[in-house]
Amino acid sequence: MIIFTDRKSAKMPLEKVVENCIKKYKPNAIYLREKDLSDEEYALLAQKIMPLCKQSDTAFYICEREEIAKSLGVKNLHISVKNISKIGTICEFCNISVSIHSKQEIELAIKLGATNLVYGHIFETFCKKDLSPRGLDSLKEICSLSKIPVIAIGGINGKNAQKVLDMGACDFAVMSSAMTLTF
């Protein structure tokens, strides 16, 4: 399990939610999403979350903010496929996770340095209620075409998580259910 944060849907301060998620779910990684924060606010929040991840040996990813990742010494970056070409020096990162939305984006992401792909949304989800889900067949195709690991995201819960793994995803990501500790 991978957890993307969304403090707006959390019922308590994000660092407390992350601490509880780590204890309850033992995720493989925490991705600090928080798109609406200023760089200063984001960096301060990252400094609160990083030690929680380090203590539990949980990978920590900065999302979309390359310079903050570098300044904090974070070696894991998550970025959209449209922004990966803007990264200055990819060699500074051990892991570059890239969001993709089509099979055409697979090769581009890999060529530009992606070490894993995040593909979704697979099932209906509140976060993307106006968009149709891509579905399991689409996920299976992406997984079969990719030379690097694919993480499924979107509408994944305890009842359907195994289905995405059965389609070839190396892992799955959750956001809303993790922020409310209801996965």
Side-chain angles (χ1 to χ4, degrees):
M1 172 189 286
I2 291 168
I3 294 173
F4 276 76
T5 68
D6 177 18
R7 73 189 193 297
K8 289 180 179 179
S9 65
K11 305 239 185 267
M12 58 186 88
L14 187 61
E15 55 271 23
K16 190 69 178 165
V17 172
V18 169
E19 183 179 5
N20 287 330
C21 282
I22 288 171
K23 287 178 186 172
K24 186 173 181 176
Y25 304 121
K26 299 181 181 17
N28 295 314
I30 302 288
Y31 284 53
L32 188 62
R33 188 169 171 266
E34 309 312 323
K35 296 177 180 182
D36 63 317
L37 293 178
S38 69
D39 283 350
E40 184 179 336
E41 292 167 322
Y42 187 97
L44 289 171
L45 186 56
Q47 290 172 327
K48 292 177 182 178
I49 305 296
M50 286 170 49
L52 301 172
C53 292
K54 187 171 183 153
Q55 290 167 1
S56 62
D57 200 27
T58 304
F60 178 67
Y61 282 75
I62 294 287
C63 293
E64 296 290 339
R65 301 181 196 222
E66 170 195 6
E67 293 307 317
I68 291 174
K70 289 177 183 178
S71 72
L72 296 175
V74 175
K75 298 296 182 183
N76 303 313
L77 180 69
H78 176 72
I79 197 156
S80 66
V81 73
K82 70 178 183 175
N83 288 334
I84 190 172
S85 63
K86 298 175 187 172
I87 297 176
T89 48
I90 63 169
C91 60
E92 293 188 44
F93 298 102
C94 296
N95 296 297
I96 299 174
S97 173
V98 178
S99 290
I100 64 161
H101 301 95
S102 69
K103 61 185 178 183
Q104 292 79 12
E105 294 175 338
I106 296 170
E107 278 190 49
L108 176 62
I110 293 171
K111 178 181 163 190
L112 294 174
T115 56
N116 72 57
L117 304 174
V118 176
Y119 179 72
H121 66 289
I122 306 305
F123 303 106
E124 284 187 24
T125 176
F126 179 75
C127 300
K128 306 228 184 228
K129 59 185 171 198
D130 296 332
L131 294 173
S132 296
R134 292 187 167 84
L136 290 170
D137 289 340
S138 179
L139 172 64
K140 185 175 184 175
E141 180 180 23
I142 293 293
C143 292
S144 69
L145 293 172
S146 179
K147 299 173 188 144
I148 61 175
V150 176
I151 299 161
I153 192 168
I156 299 170
N157 58 43
K159 294 178 183 172
N160 62 24
Q162 187 59 49
K163 291 178 183 178
V164 300
L165 299 174
D166 292 345
M167 293 296 114
C170 72
D171 207 340
F172 60 89
V174 295
M175 187 171 62
S176 301
S177 62
M179 294 298 98
T180 57
L181 300 168
T182 58
F183 176 80

